Amino acid sequence: MYADLDLDRTARRGYPEAVYCAGKTPAQVAGIAATVRGRPDVITLFTRAEPEHAAAVLAELPDARHDADAGLLAWPPTPPTPAGGLVVVVAAGTSDLRYAREAKLTARYLGRPTELVVDVGVAGLHRILGHLELLRRARVVVVAAGMDGALPSVVAGLIAAPVVALPTSVGYGAAFGGLAPLLAMLNACAPGVAVVNIDNGYGAGHLAAQIAADPPAADRP
Amino acid sequence: MYADLDLDRTARRGYPEAVYCAGKTPAQVAGIAATVRGRPDVITLFTRAEPEHAAAVLAELPDARHDADAGLLAWPPTPPTPAGGLVVVVAAGTSDLRYAREAKLTARYLGRPTELVVDVGVAGLHRILGHLELLRRARVVVVAAGMDGALPSVVAGLIAAPVVALPTSVGYGAAFGGLAPLLAMLNACAPGVAVVNIDNGYGAGHLAAQIAADPPAADRP
Amino acid sequence: MYADLDLDRTARRGYPEAVYCAGKTPAQVAGIAATVRGRPDVITLFTRAEPEHAAAVLAELPDARHDADAGLLAWPPTPPTPAGGLVVVVAAGTSDLRYAREAKLTARYLGRPTELVVDVGVAGLHRILGHLELLRRARVVVVAAGMDGALPSVVAGLIAAPVVALPTSVGYGAAFGGLAPLLAMLNACAPGVAVVNIDNGYGAGHLAAQIAADPPAADRP
Amino acid sequence: MYADLDLDRTARRGYPEAVYCAGKTPAQVAGIAATVRGRPDVITLFTRAEPEHAAAVLAELPDARHDADAGLLAWPPTPPTPAGGLVVVVAAGTSDLRYAREAKLTARYLGRPTELVVDVGVAGLHRILGHLELLRRARVVVVAAGMDGALPSVVAGLIAAPVVALPTSVGYGAAFGGLAPLLAMLNACAPGVAVVNIDNGYGAGHLAAQIAADPPAADRP
Amino acid sequence: MYADLDLDRTARRGYPEAVYCAGKTPAQVAGIAATVRGRPDVITLFTRAEPEHAAAVLAELPDARHDADAGLLAWPPTPPTPAGGLVVVVAAGTSDLRYAREAKLTARYLGRPTELVVDVGVAGLHRILGHLELLRRARVVVVAAGMDGALPSVVAGLIAAPVVALPTSVGYGAAFGGLAPLLAMLNACAPGVAVVNIDNGYGAGHLAAQIAADPPAADRP
Amino acid sequence: MYADLDLDRTARRGYPEAVYCAGKTPAQVAGIAATVRGRPDVITLFTRAEPEHAAAVLAELPDARHDADAGLLAWPPTPPTPAGGLVVVVAAGTSDLRYAREAKLTARYLGRPTELVVDVGVAGLHRILGHLELLRRARVVVVAAGMDGALPSVVAGLIAAPVVALPTSVGYGAAFGGLAPLLAMLNACAPGVAVVNIDNGYGAGHLAAQIAADPPAADRP
Amino acid sequence: MYADLDLDRTARRGYPEAVYCAGKTPAQVAGIAATVRGRPDVITLFTRAEPEHAAAVLAELPDARHDADAGLLAWPPTPPTPAGGLVVVVAAGTSDLRYAREAKLTARYLGRPTELVVDVGVAGLHRILGHLELLRRARVVVVAAGMDGALPSVVAGLIAAPVVALPTSVGYGAAFGGLAPLLAMLNACAPGVAVVNIDNGYGAGHLAAQIAADPPAADRP
Amino acid sequence: MYADLDLDRTARRGYPEAVYCAGKTPAQVAGIAATVRGRPDVITLFTRAEPEHAAAVLAELPDARHDADAGLLAWPPTPPTPAGGLVVVVAAGTSDLRYAREAKLTARYLGRPTELVVDVGVAGLHRILGHLELLRRARVVVVAAGMDGALPSVVAGLIAAPVVALPTSVGYGAAFGGLAPLLAMLNACAPGVAVVNIDNGYGAGHLAAQIAADPPAADRP
């Protein structure tokens, strides 16, 4: 057997496990999808799904939701009723959109209410400033940015909530596949910036969903 | 004038600004400390303070709390009454302790209750497993680790709360000043890991304090 | 002549030489295979064989064993009778499986008994802990892992035998083609970790076979 | 002879040559200073002067202007009458000040009018926005920043003049000695950003002076 | 909506915004082109346009100028009347030509007079010296070079005007995708070199256009 | 408490834990040494001990063995009776000697018989070939080398036993602190090379001791 | 015009210029080939020629010699009468052969006598030692090697003539596209090693031809 | 014994072995010097000698020649009668002088006639062009340069003899300890450039001496 899916992870950690498709054969992904079918009580996400992975999943789970841009499938297709604080996802440019969508969908399927804001890079500050009210309503903001990775610093300086910084591999040569924004985000001059891996929209969305979860009743003021 | 301290930042963002001493002359730090003296309503942290920076601060603010190991000074010296969720700070080894302390103190001065756990590296899993009950009570766990940076993955796999991963520059040659644990943490195989800069205990503590803050009343279930 | 195959290497070092196909033309590989045909007393491995390399080998040695996932061919196809200590090969995730298989097959064709364990990443510690009895029976354990490369540290902390750490190029952007797990493994906080090159399942299996060889009679207690 | 000073460079290029002291012995620097003494018609700058270099220069040229923070000496000490457009130099934080001063002094000794603005990092946007009128009066703006290197993008988005981006080695571990802001500046999402070497205040000031020079009369509208 | 085009940027900054096509779908680019059609008073550039992007633009703006080598489209197709100083663009080798053309076209569409010089690498100094008179007439020179990136240093040493250095990804293995010339240019031993991102001809041309702009009348001698 | 020493590790893994002194204060190291004093049944190693660490250990454990070159202390001072196969440690040059000694002492205190060979770099092949008989008697060979790191490949090609390759930080600029030999060793063209961290003599010796341990009686032919 | 071919280079430097095809369009290469046709007195090499470049050259110069493996064309096709010392080219493995051939052909067309030796990696020292007599007859030896890049050190230690080390991009992950052998060669522990760029067989052959040239008569003993 | 000096190397390779002092204790160096005393027929060089190394050598060999700037000692102190072709050593700037001197002295003690040229960087081309006649008389030219490492390309384009390029660690931040000129030199756009390690003046001088050696009589035209 090539996979030992951790279906009780929801019980243990409170969040479902995702199936990372990259590096798996479509047959392996199909086998996992078949296993999942017996557990409609648990939402399963398939991330980094190329078209052939998606086809393999849909053959087993025809009603799965498939977002091709984000390379994501979710089954069962209906996300949970929103609970917890608002997750706002911001894409610096259109080219960052696919990763921003992956983050937004992940947070939504993990149970949070979500909003998406696009094309608000720091080269035109009026754009991001125009969304200040929404940003200040969020319990966490995910900021996807390539190139100089400057937007998370700016957003973190404007709000009290934490920022999840998602570097993307968008940019010219010296972006070095996302290294430039990754380093910029790790060095954000405003505190409150949590960095995840390059192009890892799933990780950003998952982390945001955890941060925006309501505290357990016993732990509330 | 060489600095334009943002004393209203507490009002705007809800958290005080810190003074990053590295790269400043003691005279510059003293000048900032003198400015701060008039604002006892705001807690100011001085981070990365070498002994000569600390002396400069203490000359202006003699009752400031000084933690020499962590390179941190706080004034006024009494932290706020704890509020919000528990922040647990974990140091993989004794050599990571100074950064873990910086994180713990920062979170405490930003208002959270905090606990510290030391010497629980993954080479002896029974150590971290022995603290499982405490870890599961935390609203966020900060994990400071050098070398292989493996501990945040392990901790994130055990709890539902998010983990702030703090890579340290501890280790042999190919740790490359913290690059090895930094990369490991960015690639954590468990979701829910928020990475900050190498040796940046202040940043880890600040982020943890934000995550563990209670949601505003209007945003609560 | 473009290759000077070292067929007496078995006599000299005790292990056959492998033919590394990457960077060779199929015609060159076929030529080597033809040479090998006259030496059925020596097992030859063809590693990193793309389909066109495999076809070239099979045209000369039709009964060679071909494991397409692992990119490996072996001829003669029957491995030696197992001798020496047990080699356990562990794959952290399904995506690491191809390299784990390459390691397992190499160790097996070099004469060791082998076992394979899959999908036991550190994000769910109960998985690896469930195989503890098997791990402790091994004379050496090969651990293939991408992403954070944390599993070798954890395994090395649980057993007395050495661990061969095999970093794989599996992961998101900041894995940098296997650099992240490679560095993590070199910095393993548990001693007893022997690192090989990224994705080099052949090298890991060969090293494991050497470590698990029985000492010569003259060198035994 | 260990140096072949290009004193006619002023005539040829229009700007004096600087003496880069790092890596030279004080005796070598003194020798160069002695040569310079005979040419008061040409301004000579000594950059990266450690205290022992400065002493060597001052022994030969006692009235040279010495800015110890910036590691710069100028002789003759009086800068030229200002000509050309205004050069505004901006330091993101106090720790960037020494490089900003080096840039400002260089541009001033090369004949431009200059202004300095300090402590206007992007974590508090209101700071830089408060200097917008001055920034828009500049013919070129030099922006010195370490950490995330985000400020040049923001400034370039606000003005029509070009920005000279000066990365500094200020910051925590993953700033990697200025690599992080360097890459961020090279990837600035706003066009119009000219990058120079890390901590190279002299180079930034020189480039700014060239950009802000008045076009030759023959080349004017 | 996936993009929030900043059409008033011309008014605010004095230069039009460009649409960076890489990472955008043709449909997204077409949508932006449709928006642009209503604003013939503003020149819009589409950069890094693959053939499918170009087709999408041309479907909406059939008379757009398309330079396939440079991956650039401009609409409206007629550049402004030349104003300001001359921009000379130099390509070290034929392989650098596409990026040099992108720089030249950008500067031209932003309103400057431009000239192009090709195949003048430092391995044959007589080539570049043969263009000295033209180089000295320029108000700024853009130098595109891969490999050793040595040409900007040489050119900067010959003229009084600033040099915009454009590293290209041309070269053998250890050019590392343009890293070698990028570092060489950042370390140019002649002052007056402004570096932009690898292969970023658009950025080089834009910066050159800004530098060569005539000073506003109020700011002129 | 700043450390939770794992004194039962000997029972669990069969080898004592070492105390890594780098990054610990002398007071912390002294505290650990005091704890150790009550357990003379377990050998404890103190590695990377600077003189002040050594003094702190010796104050608590006056009869500890101290090898200042190797930065190592051992207590109790008498190593165990040799058992298992021979560990031969090879230092390519005199400058690698300190790390080779650290490896040899570690293997010896972990119970193996050991031999040391010095100054046998590949620039004079006759040197290493002159030790062939000894190398072939070893059950494992540790090879410490800086610069080009070529020696492990050569040794591995000469013997049947595995080689532990220990890269050192010895060398000119482009050795990059041991990166050059580290990469060379990971890419050894002879199989059977197990790589450890740069300058990590302790790790090399520990791994060698594990490899050279006699198989348990139940696991012997 | 896109190229300014330096046909007088033979006269000036004594060696013909090569046309580097990578990054040029077939049409550009064809144009250069057409220019060359009028100068049969000068040998021109076309390097890094992909099949479409080769076709373009052969359309203009049908009798050009084309070595497809080496990606090289030469015209006129007959090399000069051999003169100067012997150039021996050594390929560590079969996968390095294409670059070794490029070096050998280049040296031959530049006028030297040449020999080729293949598959003599350091994992089997007897192979290279078997060619010692030939190696000692050479006036310079070119050594092409990937992986650990150890062969140049070994060869340099065996002979009095200089070694040109040619790193190749052959190898597993941590070879990082030739970086590993490049660094190893730069750090060769035997003096007398001249390093060229990764996979740059042309450069290696050219340098070897220069080194092996007979001194001018006036400069001879 | 910690060193096995290869005193017969002169006989075997034709050149004496050097003692690399860095990383050796003064006592170890003294021991080697004592051994050398008995062999006045062989010249021994001590490289990278810090003052304490030099003192140790001079205590054993009081008449050794010591060049403190170059960190070099030679014994016996008188170099051989010059033979072979001229070695010209060029230092781009004064800061490169120490490495240029190390190269010059090494070549001289290995028997070549040598000349030194200083301060001829490419920022002022007239300087290097002024030495053209001398450069063209050399059988090999060593070029030491830091910063952009552009000078070897320029020199190689001017002469027929090979160039040994010696990168130095001189420069601002993004020189990264000599990485920038190293990469530039490996990517030199003029063929005929042989690169050695950063700051490795000894290696450059040794290689130059080998290249400039007269061919053996039997191998002469």
Side-chain angles (χ1 to χ4, degrees), chain E:
Chain E
M1 182 57 188
Y2 48 78
D4 175 10
L5 206 64
D6 190 3
L7 288 168
D8 294 323
R9 191 160 171 274
T10 303
R12 189 165 34 89
R13 284 200 62 190
Y15 300 100
E17 192 171 27
V19 179
Y20 177 69
C21 296
K24 293 195 177 69
T25 63
Q28 291 172 332
V29 172
I32 297 172
T35 308
V36 158
R37 199 162 38 191
R39 293 291 300 268
D41 55 316
V42 177
I43 284 185
T44 300
L45 299 177
F46 297 82
T47 65
R48 295 286 145 128
E50 297 296 318
E52 59 272 25
H53 296 124
V57 172
L58 292 167
E60 296 291 335
L61 306 165
D63 63 336
R65 173 158 177 200
H66 179 210
D67 187 300
D69 277 3
L72 194 84
L73 296 104
W75 189 86
T78 312
T81 309
L86 176 65
V87 174
V88 172
V89 179
V90 174
T94 309
S95 305
D96 305 307
L97 191 49
R98 76 184 81 176
Y99 308 109
R101 286 183 64 79
E102 188 186 7
K104 180 187 186 307
L105 284 164
T106 298
R108 184 66 199 85
Y109 274 96
L110 268 60
R112 299 298 155 263
T114 59
E115 295 283 349
L116 182 65
V117 175
V118 180
D119 213 3
V120 290
V122 301
L125 280 182
H126 60 288
R127 295 180 186 171
I128 189 70
L129 294 174
H131 295 280
L132 201 48
E133 187 272 335
L134 175 64
L135 294 170
R136 289 193 169 153
R137 270 198 292 125
R139 210 177 292 168
V140 63
V141 177
V142 176
V143 180
M147 297 186 172
D148 57 14
L151 191 55
S153 280
V154 168
V155 172
L158 293 168
I159 65 176
V163 167
V164 174
L166 169 55
T168 69
S169 56
V170 172
Y172 282 89
F176 293 121
L179 179 63
L182 171 65
L183 291 181
M185 291 166 178
L186 286 167
N187 287 283
C189 59
V193 175
V195 185
V196 298
N197 204 342
I198 298 167
D199 292 345
N200 187 2
Y202 164 72
H206 194 290
L207 178 61
Q210 289 173 282
I211 294 174
D214 282 326
D219 193 24
R220 250 180 254 161

Side-chain angles (χ1 to χ4, degrees), chain D residues 97-119:
Chain D
L97 191 49
R98 75 185 80 178
Y99 308 109
R101 284 184 64 81
E102 188 186 8
K104 179 185 187 305
L105 284 165
T106 298
R108 185 65 199 85
Y109 274 96
L110 268 61
R112 298 299 155 261
T114 59
E115 295 282 349
L116 182 65
V117 175
V118 181
D119 212 3

Side-chain angles (χ1 to χ4, degrees), chain C residues 178-199:
Chain C
L179 179 63
L182 171 65
L183 290 181
M185 290 167 179
L186 287 165
N187 288 282
C189 59
V193 176
V195 184
V196 299
N197 204 340
I198 298 166
D199 293 345

Side-chain angles (χ1 to χ4, degrees), chain A residues 46 49 54 64-74 98 101-102 105:
Chain A
F46 295 83
R65 173 158 175 198
H66 180 209
D67 187 300
D69 279 3
L72 193 84
L73 297 104
R98 74 184 81 175
R101 285 183 63 80
E102 188 186 7
L105 283 164

Side-chain angles (χ1 to χ4, degrees), chain F residues 123 147-148 150 153 157 174-175 180 184 187-189, chain G residues 123 147-148 150 153 157 174-175 180 184 187-190:
Chain F
M147 298 186 172
D148 56 15
S153 281
N187 288 283
C189 58
Chain G
M147 298 185 171
D148 56 15
S153 280
N187 287 283
C189 58

Side-chain angles (χ1 to χ4, degrees), chain F residues 25-56:
Chain F
T25 62
Q28 290 172 333
V29 171
I32 297 173
T35 309
V36 157
R37 199 163 38 191
R39 292 291 301 267
D41 55 315
V42 178
I43 285 184
T44 299
L45 299 177
F46 297 82
T47 65
R48 295 287 144 128
E50 296 296 317
E52 58 271 26
H53 295 124

Side-chain angles (χ1 to χ4, degrees), chain B residues 122-123 125 129 147-148 150 153-154 157 172 174-176 179-180 183-184 186-190, chain C residues 122-123 125 129 147-148 150 153-154 157 172 174-176 179-180 183-184 186-190:
Chain B
V122 302
L125 280 183
L129 294 175
M147 299 186 171
D148 56 16
S153 281
V154 168
Y172 283 88
F176 292 121
L179 179 63
L183 291 181
L186 287 165
N187 287 282
C189 59
Chain C
V122 302
L125 279 183
L129 294 175
M147 299 186 170
D148 56 15
S153 280
V154 167
Y172 282 88
F176 292 121
L179 179 63
L183 290 181
L186 287 165
N187 288 282
C189 59

